[in-house]
Amino acid sequence: MSVLECPSDLTLISDDMSIGDVIQDIIRKGPHEDPLHVLDLDDVVRKHYGWCAQMPRVKPFYAVKCNDDPRILQTLMTLGTGFDCASKGEMERMLGLGVHPENIIFAQPAKSVVSLLYARSKQVSVMTFDGAVELEKIHQYYPEARLVLRMRHDSQKVRCSLGKKFGCDPVTEAPELLRYAATLRMNVIGISFHVGSDCAEHEVYYEAVKKAKTLFEYAKTIGYEFTLLDIGGGFPGDTNKPIDRYAKAINMAIDHYFPVSESDVRIIAEPGRYYVSSAVSLVSFVDSKRIIKETQPDGTESTRMFYYLNDGVFGTFYCTAHEGQEAIPIVEHKAGAKVYSSSVWGPTCDVMDLILPDIRLPELDIGDSVVFENCGAYGQVLACRFNGFAMPKVIAYLREGTWKILQDLTAASVAISARSIDGSDGMVLVTHENYTPIVEAPIVGLM
């Protein structure tokens, strides 16, 4: 397996250089016509080692949909993660990069026939289902598939509740579906759940594992011996949102309900946002500006600023507009600059292209930079070219020391063989004795 084969699309920086230094240099050379996503691959590597340290029993299967930048995917391949794919296109992408079929879970409960046949042709055999019709379809087109029943267990504190679309009721529906699968002689190997995107309550994972255990026990009564528990995603990934409390709840749950001494059950997860959210910072620029005079109820007049950036809701900020993801601008506070109530807009002609409706900012000029951190999750994959504006350009950086570690892992085949998702040989998470986490300095002064 070759990794990061094209260093021409990757800029190596010295180990003592921070991503903040990189961004300041980009700003000095600006303004730039297109918005820029600054991808810090060191951050992805740090997140991986953090996961391994905190949840050693849980193998991550990265959710490709969250950010499919090839440099992220290749880095995670090197580190030995699996991949959660939701479409034929994502499976093609990962298989084309050299991922083994057993390191892919087709975690899509509503699959097209074409994608199902493709998975069968490539021996991607582990996949989810949550209803009788889906089960019948798989029975018809991929009868030898290894199935994971997705149950519903929603957190009440999430950005996006996936249970509205996927997941069967663990009490009323799941047992019936398992009985039906048994009559069809389908090979169900485990249970999965997803508490929702960007979950804010760690306790929900403990309760979900507890419910999953109940289904494991029920499955035994009808002849199944489950071997896989998939705890899904929902893990936060912003800079200020560590996963310590999530890891503690999950470790307590799996150690209690699936102790190593009594269980051959493998445990995986589908983190997406966790791995990439903090890895990307957006560098945008003020394209235009409008000064609005507003009359207040008391008759006085106030000034409001409208700023139009070269990125917006149809670019990086889809989740800000539609899912309530917070956007915190980082700007230079120039000496003597007055602070005004401001609205920050994207570049298109759509009135819905509003990033920040009301925020106090020091006055900005045309060409000034506005930086946003934590833009790696969904900021690129949901962007489009509406109104003819360019999508954000991604520029990737990696420290020389980390590059050497990744190359060493590849050359020495440190991604050693171990049991894969189905118990056969596959890739495992890898560690490197020379890896030392690097603490980042702030990007720029917050206004």
Side-chain angles (χ1 to χ4, degrees):
M1 178 181 68
S2 59
V3 180
L4 299 174
E5 294 178 338
C6 303
S8 60
D9 67 357
L10 178 67
T11 300
L12 298 182
I13 60 177
S14 64
D15 291 348
D16 60 355
M17 189 175 186
S18 77
I19 206 68
D21 296 333
V22 170
I23 290 176
Q24 289 285 21
D25 188 55
I26 290 171
I27 291 171
R28 281 193 294 270
K29 295 176 180 177
H32 301 266
E33 180 179 358
D34 300 333
L36 301 174
H37 277 192
V38 180
L39 169 58
D40 179 9
L41 283 173
D42 279 273
D43 192 82
V44 176
V45 176
R46 283 194 296 273
K47 287 293 187 68
H48 174 73
Y49 284 107
W51 182 284
C52 294
Q54 295 192 74
M55 289 184 282
R57 290 188 62 195
V58 184
K59 176 173 177 174
F61 276 60
Y62 172 70
V64 177
K65 64 180 180 289
C66 192
N67 189 323
D68 63 357
D69 185 280
R71 291 154 293 195
I72 291 174
L73 300 178
Q74 290 172 322
T75 298
L76 292 175
M77 278 177 56
T78 309
L79 295 169
T81 69
F83 293 91
D84 156 20
C85 295
S87 66
K88 177 175 179 284
E90 288 183 352
M91 287 187 287
E92 286 179 325
R93 183 81 178 277
M94 300 318 304
L95 292 168
L97 288 174
V99 175
H100 293 196
E102 61 269 21
N103 274 304
I104 294 174
I105 180 169
F106 193 4
Q108 164 62 282
K111 297 169 282 296
S112 70
V113 171
V114 170
S115 66
L116 196 56
L117 292 173
Y118 177 80
R120 188 181 191 185
S121 72
K122 299 299 182 180
Q123 298 182 319
V124 177
S125 62
V126 178
M127 59 190 64
T128 58
F129 76 103
D130 64 359
V133 175
E134 188 72 12
L135 184 61
E136 292 164 355
K137 182 174 62 185
I138 299 171
H139 179 258
Q140 180 178 356
Y141 294 103
Y142 198 170
E144 67 273 29
R146 291 170 294 170
L147 304 181
V148 182
L149 177 62
R150 178 161 168 168
M151 72 173 199
R152 181 175 183 176
H153 189 86
D154 298 335
S155 168
Q156 300 305 307
K157 299 178 182 178
V158 290
R159 179 166 294 151
C160 181
S161 180
L162 300 179
K164 295 177 181 178
K165 188 172 185 178
F166 298 123
C168 67
D169 186 277
V171 177
T172 62
E173 295 179 297
E176 182 179 352
L177 283 170
L178 290 175
R179 290 193 298 270
Y180 188 30
T183 65
L184 294 175
R185 298 180 181 272
M186 296 297 288
N187 184 16
V188 185
I189 64 170
I191 299 294
S192 74
F193 60 82
H194 198 303
V195 300
S197 182
D198 201 8
C199 175
E201 54 175 342
H202 59 282
E203 305 92 344
V204 69
Y205 288 93
Y206 189 96
E207 294 302 317
V209 172
K210 181 179 179 180
K211 284 186 179 179
K213 176 63 173 181
T214 300
L215 291 175
F216 270 69
E217 294 298 330
Y218 176 77
K220 283 184 180 180
T221 68
I222 59 174
Y224 283 117
E225 284 289 341
F226 286 172
T227 58
L228 180 68
L229 173 65
D230 178 358
I231 65 173
F235 305 95
D238 288 3
T239 305
N240 61 342
K241 295 182 179 180
I243 63 163
D244 305 58
R245 58 195 177 103
Y246 300 83
K248 182 177 180 180
I250 289 166
N251 289 335
M252 286 178 61
I254 61 178
D255 288 344
H256 180 72
Y257 292 107
F258 298 94
V260 175
S261 59
E262 302 175 11
S263 175
D264 291 328
V265 174
R266 295 199 64 235
I267 302 166
I268 69 171
E270 300 166 4
R273 189 183 303 274
Y274 165 78
Y275 267 101
V276 297
S277 181
S278 60
V280 175
S281 297
L282 164 67
V283 182
S284 62
F285 295 89
V286 178
D287 276 349
S288 191
K289 171 182 174 180
R290 184 178 168 205
I291 303 173
I292 309 294
K293 298 296 183 179
E294 298 178 330
T295 302
Q296 302 302 309
D298 62 1
T300 61
E301 190 176 69
S302 66
T303 300
R304 170 179 286 273
M305 296 293 182
F306 277 21
Y307 298 110
Y308 304 89
L309 306 186
N310 62 348
D311 196 0
V313 168
F314 297 94
T316 300
F317 296 99
Y318 176 94
C319 290
T320 297
H322 299 287
E323 296 181 5
Q325 181 171 318
E326 190 176 22
I328 302 175
I330 301 172
V331 300
E332 181 184 358
H333 199 146
K334 301 173 185 175
K338 292 184 179 180
V339 176
Y340 294 99
S341 292
S342 306
S343 297
V344 181
W345 302 80
T348 72
C349 295
D350 195 317
V351 72
M352 301 300 291
D353 194 3
L354 176 59
I355 303 166
L356 293 162
D358 188 14
I359 186 172
R360 293 188 63 79
L361 291 173
E363 184 171 6
L364 303 175
D365 296 318
I366 303 301
D368 281 353
S369 65
V370 184
V371 175
F372 296 85
E373 297 178 315
N374 300 310
C375 293
Y378 302 102
Q380 181 73 19
V381 294
L382 293 176
C384 68
R385 294 184 179 275
F386 176 64
N387 243 172
F389 288 98
M391 298 201 306
K393 177 183 178 182
V394 183
I395 47 178
Y397 295 85
L398 183 68
R399 289 180 178 81
E400 293 172 343
T402 309
W403 167 261
K404 180 62 166 60
I405 288 171
L406 293 176
Q407 293 299 85
D408 287 348
L409 291 175
T410 304
S413 298
V414 179
I416 58 176
S417 132
R419 289 195 318 168
S420 70
I421 192 170
D422 63 342
S424 63
D425 284 350
M427 307 298 286
V428 296
L429 306 182
V430 297
T431 58
H432 196 286
E433 59 184 5
N434 294 326
Y435 176 76
T436 302
I438 301 170
V439 178
E440 285 292 346
I443 289 178
V444 290
L446 189 61
M447 58 83 185

